[in-house]
Amino acid sequence: MYIIDITTMANYFGRITGITRVESKVAEEFLNQFPEQTQFVYWSNDKNSFERYNGELSFEKVKSAKLSRDFSCSHDSYFQEAIANEPSDAQGCFVVTGSGWLQNSKYATGCISFARIYDLKLTFYIHDLIPVKFPFYYEASYVRTFSESLSLIASSGSLLLCNSKNTETDLLGWCEHKGIDAPTTEVAYLGDSIAPTIQHGEETADIEPENYVLTVGAIHRRKNYELLASVWRRLKARMGGSCPKLKIVGGVTPDGKMLHTELLQDPVLCNCVEIISGVDDKELDRLYRHARLVVYPSHYEGWGLPVAEALAYGKVCLASNSSAIPEIANLGGDFLSPDDPVSWASRIMFYCQSSEQRKKREHEVRELYQPRTWADTVARISKSLDKYSKGPAPIIYPGETKRFNSSQGDCYLASPCYAMESWGRWCMQSTLKLKFTLPETERKNLILKIGLNSRSNTPGQILLNGVVVSSNRPFYANMRQYYQELPEDLLESENTVEISLSAVSRLPDQKKGEHAKRYSAFGVEAFSIFTENQLRYYFEDVFGSPDQLHEFPFEDKRASNVLCGRVGQNAIQTVNGTVSINLVNVVPQLWDMRSVAFFKIPKDKNAIVTIRLNGFILDQALVKPDRHGQTGCNFVLPRGADDYRTLEFFFMSEDAGQKLNGALTALFLPSTMLPHKAVPSSDQLVPRHQFLKFGTDVQDAQYDILLNGWDTEERFGVSCQSTGLMSLRVAGNEPVRSLKLHCKVIGVNFTDVALIVNGTRFDLTVHEDVAMHIIDLPAILQPNDDLDAQVVISEGKFVLRSIQLL
C-alpha cells in the first residue's frame, strides 16, 4: 500500500508551480502505476490527524474536500481497517513530497507519528536546504522553524529522498554539522513535463518564436532578477526597438517587492518587462512554446525545474552554473555565472539576433537532453522504498526526559493522540504506546518514569515488547507519576512500552475546546528512562535518601490510614491480634528498604510477629518483651512498584499459638512511605435507591465503583480475601444517610468484617448466607459528595452481591 500525502495541494493558493506541482504529479503517477494500492491523505491541523481523501485528483476538488470534509474520514478508524487487510508480508509506505513540514513542526511530527502508529515506511522528499544554507534570504522565525522541522525528520529514521545530488550533499553536510546521525538518502530526479503532449521538443521545433525571453519563478532576491534588470538595461541601450521583451511568470515574495516596483516603474524597463501572474498550465505551455529562449539566473536552487521544463520543450536555456542546476544537463557554454551581467547580455543578444545559431543550438538541445518523466520519478521513489529498511525508533539516553508538549517528545508516540496542549497530549484511545531505541550499553537496571493524566481511577496494565510486566495496576485520577522496572531479559535495541487502561472516561463538554470534541480523558505528559543509580540521586535531591527513616505519624480516631486496629494515644491497639495500615509510596520502591517497628505486648509472653505487605508475608520474628512489655524488630520492605501498600502486623504467642492483644507503639519507615487515605475518590455517579448488583450473572454490572482488591469473576457477586476498595459519588438531588449491603462469607461459618466508610470503622459479623447490613453513615452525604469504603477481612472470602444508597 502507498499512502500519498497531498497536504500541499489541499492548502495551495495561486498558481500551480514548484513543490505544489511536484506533489500533484507524483500523486497522479502513483495512482497510474499502482491504482489498487494507492490511497491519499491530507493533514488537518485542527484535528491533529490525517484524513483520507478519495475524490478526484484535481486541485479544486482536493481544496473543496479539505474545506468541507465531504470526502474525508478520520485516519484512526480508516487506516486500522485498511492496513489490517494488507498481506502480512507487505509493509505500507507513506510518501510525503510536499512542503507542509517546512513551517509546521506539528505536521512534521504528525507524519512521523502516523507512520509509527501504522508501521509504515516513511519518506520525505527534500527539495532544498536554502533556508539554513542562506538564512539571510528569510525571516529569522522562518529559518528557526525550518531548522527545527528538518532536525525532526532527519533524526526520525525516515528515508530522505533528494531531488539532486547537490541537495543530498547539502543535507548530509548539515546533519554532520548539527551532530545528527547521517540519515538514509536516495536521489530521485523530478519529471519535467507540464503537458503530456510534449515529446522531446518535436512539437516546438517548427513554431516561429515571438520576440520575448521567458523566465519562470517568483520575484525573490535568490532568483537574481536584479541581474536581469541590469541585463535588459544593456540590451535596451544596444538593441533599441528590437530588444526582446522579458516575460516573468510568477508572483512576488516579500523581499522582492522593491524590485517588482522597480521593474514596473523604471522608465527604461517598464516597456520591455512584463510580469505575469496567475498562469495555468495551458498558458504556461503556450509561453514556453513561443519563447525565443529561456533564462534562469538563480543564485541557488535545489533543482531548477524551469530549466528542465525549458529543455524538454527543446528551447535554448541560459542558466546559472551554480548549485544543482548543472546536474540537469551538460549545457556547456549556456551555463553562465550569476554575477556576470555582461556575459548574460552578450549571449541573449547572440541568440536573439541570429535565428540560424539559435535553431542550431535548439537542435543540439534536443539531441543532448533526454527528458525525465514523472513515471521515472515515481519508479525511482518506489524502488528506493522497496530496498529501504524502516529505521529504528528515536533513541533515548538514560536520564533524559521527553515531554509531549513539544514535538521532540511526540517522535516517540506509536499510538494516536490529539492536538498538543500546554501540559502534553490526550490519547485517542485507552492505550498509549511508546517506541524508543536504547543505547547498546544501557540495558541493565532501567526504570521507566511516566507522567499520566486521567480523569478517573481505573486499573490497567503495562507491557514491554508485548509481555505484561505489571497487571491490574491502579492508575489514579489527575496527573500522576508512575514508575516501572524494565526487565533486562525483555529489553531489546528497539522497544515498545504499552500502557492500557481497562476503562477511560471522557472529558466533560465544559472542559474541552472546539478542536477536542472526541478527547478521551487519558493523556501523557512526559516520560524518562533512568538507571537505578540515576533515580537514587534524583530522589535524594527531591526527598532525601530513600533509606532515611522517619517516624510514622499515628493520627486521631478517624485515622483513615488505619485499616485494622484501634487508635489510642501514641499507639494502635490490635484487633484479633492484628494491626493493619494503609500507605502510599511517593516514589517507586525499586530497591530493598529497611524499616523498624516497636510493640507493646504482655510482658510475660514471647510473641511471634508476622509482617505482611499487600497480603504477602515479609518476615516472621520472635520478639521478647522487656519488663515493661516493650519490644521491637527490624524488617525490610522489598523492591516493587505498587503505589498503594497495606502493611500488617499479626501477633501470636510463642507457646500456646494463640492470638495476642498488643499495640504498635512506633513505626519507622523510609521517608518516601507516607500514610494515605484508605480509598481515593471516584467520578462514578450513583443515584439514591439504585441497586448496584455484581456478578457474572448480572448484565451491565457497574464495576466502575470498584478499585483495588476485588475479584470480578464471581458468578454471584464480587469477592475479596483481605481488603477491597470502592468509591462512588452521590447523584441526584436527595441526601444519603445510609448504605445497604447484601453480602456473605465463604470458607468460614461467620467472621468479623471491618468496613471503613469515609474514615469511620464499622464492625460487621457476616455469615455464610447472604444477609442484609445497613450502615448509618458518619455524616449525611449531599449530591456530588464522595463515598469511599474499604472492606477488611481476616478469614475466608468476603462476597458482595449488591449495595444501595438510602
Side-chain angles (χ1 to χ4, degrees):
M1 172 184 287
Y2 293 102
I3 301 171
I4 311 301
D5 179 46
I6 54 173
T7 299
T8 308
M9 291 175 64
N11 292 279
Y12 93 102
F13 291 93
R15 194 173 73 84
I16 305 165
T17 185
I19 295 177
T20 311
R21 181 185 299 283
V22 172
E23 185 181 85
S24 170
K25 294 295 185 181
V26 168
E28 290 175 3
E29 196 55 46
F30 262 104
L31 190 60
N32 290 336
Q33 294 188 29
F34 310 101
E36 301 299 322
Q37 298 172 263
T38 300
Q39 301 288 347
F40 300 103
V41 296
Y42 50 70
W43 174 256
S44 173
N45 225 38
D46 57 345
K47 286 187 176 181
N48 198 63
S49 67
F50 284 95
E51 296 183 335
R52 180 193 178 193
Y53 176 74
N54 56 10
E56 297 177 16
L57 272 183
S58 68
F59 283 90
E60 294 77 13
K61 295 283 187 180
V62 175
K63 183 72 173 178
S64 174
K66 172 69 165 53
L67 294 174
S68 68
R69 308 275 164 79
D70 288 345
F71 296 95
S72 62
C73 66
S74 181
H75 78 76
D76 54 315
S77 60
Y78 165 70
F79 283 103
Q80 287 177 347
E81 181 179 326
I83 294 174
N85 295 328
E86 282 288 289
S88 58
D89 59 345
Q91 186 175 32
C93 302
F94 185 33
V95 181
V96 181
T97 59
S99 58
W101 62 267
L102 272 66
Q103 288 296 294
N104 190 341
S105 58
K106 180 192 286 190
Y107 163 73
T109 301
C111 292
I112 297 166
S113 297
F114 181 76
R116 290 222 172 90
I117 291 166
Y118 299 110
D119 196 29
L120 304 172
K121 293 181 180 181
L122 172 61
T123 181
F124 288 91
Y125 198 90
I126 308 299
H127 295 272
D128 62 66
L129 273 75
I130 296 171
V132 292
K133 195 171 180 68
F134 303 102
F136 47 81
Y137 285 133
Y138 302 89
E139 295 288 339
S141 59
Y142 185 100
V143 176
R144 183 171 57 252
T145 304
F146 179 90
S147 181
E148 290 172 356
S149 296
L150 185 59
S151 297
L152 195 64
I153 67 174
S155 57
S156 67
S158 310
L159 170 64
L160 302 186
L161 292 168
C162 300
N163 59 354
S164 67
K165 293 177 182 177
N166 184 78
T167 297
E168 182 181 45
T169 300
D170 287 348
L171 174 63
L172 294 176
W174 182 82
C175 288
E176 181 179 3
H177 173 70
K178 299 291 279 188
I180 299 173
D181 291 340
T184 303
T185 59
E186 294 280 350
V187 174
Y189 289 127
L190 297 174
D192 49 36
S193 59
I194 296 175
T197 57
I198 300 302
Q199 298 291 334
H200 205 165
E202 287 86 347
E203 294 192 6
T204 63
D206 298 327
I207 294 177
E208 185 62 31
E210 300 175 16
N211 191 28
Y212 67 85
V213 174
L214 181 68
T215 188
V216 178
I219 298 177
H220 186 292
R221 279 198 303 151
R222 177 174 55 84
K223 297 293 184 181
N224 200 21
Y225 288 151
E226 290 91 344
L227 177 135
L228 293 182
S230 176
V231 165
W232 251 258
R233 288 190 180 94
R234 292 173 181 270
L235 293 176
K236 186 69 174 177
R238 295 176 65 179
M239 300 178 69
S242 63
C243 176
K245 179 172 283 190
L246 172 65
K247 292 192 176 185
I248 301 174
V249 175
V252 183
T253 65
D255 76 344
K257 288 182 179 180
M258 290 183 63
L259 178 62
H260 177 258
T261 301
E262 178 185 346
L263 293 172
L264 292 178
Q265 297 181 4
D266 185 289
V268 176
L269 299 176
C270 62
N271 293 323
C272 58
V273 176
E274 180 181 358
I275 300 171
I276 310 171
S277 59
V279 174
D280 58 18
D281 280 359
K282 183 177 180 180
E283 176 62 14
L284 183 60
D285 176 58
R286 191 196 70 78
L287 288 169
Y288 269 123
R289 288 171 181 269
H290 293 271
R292 197 170 292 272
L293 67 148
V294 177
V295 292
Y296 201 70
S298 178
H299 283 298
Y300 205 91
E301 293 293 327
W303 176 240
L305 190 57
V307 176
E309 290 173 344
L311 298 177
Y313 279 95
K315 292 294 179 178
V316 174
C317 182
L318 304 182
S320 295
N321 58 6
S322 66
S323 60
I325 297 173
E327 287 185 54
I328 298 173
N330 183 13
L331 298 183
D334 288 347
F335 282 132
L336 303 170
S337 169
D339 301 315
D340 184 3
V342 175
S343 296
W344 283 82
S346 298
R347 191 63 57 86
I348 291 170
M349 185 183 299
F350 172 74
Y351 283 128
C352 287
Q353 290 182 334
S354 176
S355 60
E356 181 180 346
Q357 291 298 323
R358 187 185 69 251
K359 289 180 180 180
K360 179 182 177 182
R361 182 56 175 161
E362 287 174 348
H363 177 75
E364 292 173 352
V365 166
R366 289 192 289 271
E367 294 292 326
L368 167 73
Y369 184 69
Q370 180 62 44
R372 299 177 178 90
T373 67
W374 292 103
D376 295 335
T377 303
V378 167
R380 179 63 176 170
I381 294 174
S382 176
K383 184 178 179 181
S384 298
L385 284 167
D386 287 343
K387 67 179 184 179
Y388 162 64
S389 297
K390 186 168 62 70
I395 195 168
I396 183 169
Y397 291 93
E400 289 184 332
T401 296
K402 301 299 180 182
R403 300 190 177 278
F404 292 92
N405 59 358
S406 71
S407 56
Q408 290 293 329
D410 279 359
C411 292
Y412 298 86
L413 284 174
S415 57
C417 291
Y418 289 100
M420 185 189 303
E421 299 188 21
S422 60
W423 62 270
R425 287 187 184 276
W426 293 111
C427 300
M428 286 186 179
Q429 303 163 349
S430 60
T431 297
L432 169 70
K433 286 186 181 180
L434 302 175
K435 282 189 178 180
F436 56 88
T437 300
L438 290 171
E440 289 294 330
T441 57
E442 300 289 352
R443 304 282 177 85
K444 294 182 179 180
N445 301 322
L446 294 183
I447 299 140
L448 169 73
K449 175 189 175 186
I450 188 164
L452 298 177
N453 193 358
S454 179
R455 292 283 297 175
S456 60
N457 304 312
T458 184
Q461 63 181 7
I462 300 177
L463 295 87
L464 174 61
N465 295 327
V467 179
V468 176
V469 292
S470 179
S471 61
N472 200 29
R473 175 140 187 199
F475 292 93
Y476 300 102
N478 302 318
M479 185 72 71
R480 298 287 184 94
Q481 300 296 321
Y482 299 91
Y483 300 81
Q484 177 62 51
E485 290 179 280
L486 302 178
E488 183 182 351
D489 58 338
L490 296 179
L491 285 171
E492 302 170 359
S493 176
E494 182 174 286
N495 299 276
T496 302
V497 169
E498 180 178 340
I499 300 172
S500 180
L501 274 59
S502 60
V504 175
S505 62
R506 300 286 176 178
L507 286 176
D509 290 343
Q510 65 270 23
K511 296 287 185 181
K512 59 195 179 185
E514 178 64 25
H515 66 291
K517 284 188 175 179
R518 297 178 301 153
Y519 277 19
S520 67
F522 169 51
V524 58
E525 175 201 28
F527 87 104
S528 309
I529 301 292
F530 288 104
T531 64
E532 186 172 299
N533 284 336
Q534 285 175 330
L535 205 57
R536 275 181 178 269
Y537 299 147
Y538 168 74
F539 291 152
E540 287 176 8
D541 288 342
V542 179
F543 302 103
S545 171
D547 294 329
Q548 179 184 342
L549 297 182
H550 78 294
E551 187 171 1
F552 187 87
F554 296 141
E555 299 181 358
D556 59 22
K557 292 182 179 181
R558 185 182 167 84
S560 58
N561 57 292
V562 178
L563 301 179
C564 183
R566 295 186 180 91
V567 179
Q569 187 173 7
N570 300 322
I572 304 174
Q573 303 293 326
T574 60
V575 174
N576 293 326
T578 302
V579 170
S580 180
I581 303 171
N582 202 61
L583 307 172
V584 62
N585 190 15
V586 295
V587 300
Q589 197 159 309
L590 298 166
W591 39 79
D592 295 343
M593 294 191 285
R594 61 187 176 86
S595 303
V596 181
F598 292 94
F599 317 111
K600 186 172 183 179
I601 59 176
K603 59 185 177 181
D604 57 346
K605 292 183 181 291
N606 295 337
I608 296 174
V609 180
T610 301
I611 304 171
R612 293 187 178 93
L613 184 66
N614 293 343
F616 295 97
I617 295 177
L618 285 183
D619 199 359
Q620 286 185 313
L622 176 62
V623 295
K624 299 179 180 181
D626 63 15
R627 61 192 180 91
H628 300 292
Q630 302 288 346
T631 186
C633 68
N634 297 317
F635 61 96
V636 173
L637 293 172
R639 59 196 294 128
D642 293 285
D643 295 305
Y644 287 85
R645 298 180 163 267
T646 301
L647 184 63
E648 179 183 299
F649 300 91
F650 176 68
F651 299 87
M652 183 174 288
S653 65
E654 178 188 17
D655 50 359
Q658 296 178 340
K659 297 175 184 176
L660 282 181
N661 289 324
L664 177 65
T665 58
L667 181 61
F668 292 87
L669 295 173
S671 59
T672 58
M673 301 292 290
L674 302 174
H676 199 274
K677 186 180 177 185
V679 185
S681 65
S682 166
D683 288 337
Q684 177 64 39
L685 292 171
V686 176
R688 187 180 177 193
H689 299 304
Q690 178 178 335
F691 263 103
L692 300 182
K693 287 189 175 182
F694 304 102
T696 57
D697 63 337
V698 176
Q699 289 187 345
D700 302 323
Q702 291 183 267
Y703 293 114
D704 289 348
I705 72 163
L706 303 177
L707 300 177
N708 299 336
W710 297 99
D711 181 358
T712 59
E713 298 301 319
E714 298 281 352
R715 186 186 70 84
F716 187 81
V718 291
S719 65
C720 65
Q721 288 187 282
S722 56
T723 60
L725 291 78
M726 65 182 75
S727 183
L728 55 87
R729 181 166 290 173
V730 177
N733 298 314
E734 299 178 276
V736 172
R737 293 176 171 82
S738 303
L739 178 67
K740 182 167 73 173
L741 298 85
H742 285 84
C743 54
K744 68 176 183 177
V745 294
I746 299 175
V748 292
N749 290 333
F750 65 91
T751 190
D752 290 333
V753 173
L755 179 66
I756 302 168
V757 181
N758 284 359
T760 300
R761 179 189 176 100
F762 300 89
D763 292 316
L764 311 176
T765 300
V766 182
H767 298 264
E768 59 184 354
D769 295 323
V770 175
M772 178 181 69
H773 297 267
I774 296 180
I775 307 298
D776 292 329
L777 299 179
I780 296 175
L781 297 182
Q782 301 298 329
N784 290 318
D785 283 349
D786 292 332
L787 187 149
D788 297 333
Q790 179 159 359
V791 173
V792 181
I793 182 171
S794 58
E795 294 181 85
K797 180 192 289 187
F798 176 84
V799 179
L800 175 65
R801 176 58 171 173
S802 68
I803 63 174
Q804 185 181 19
L805 299 178
L806 299 176

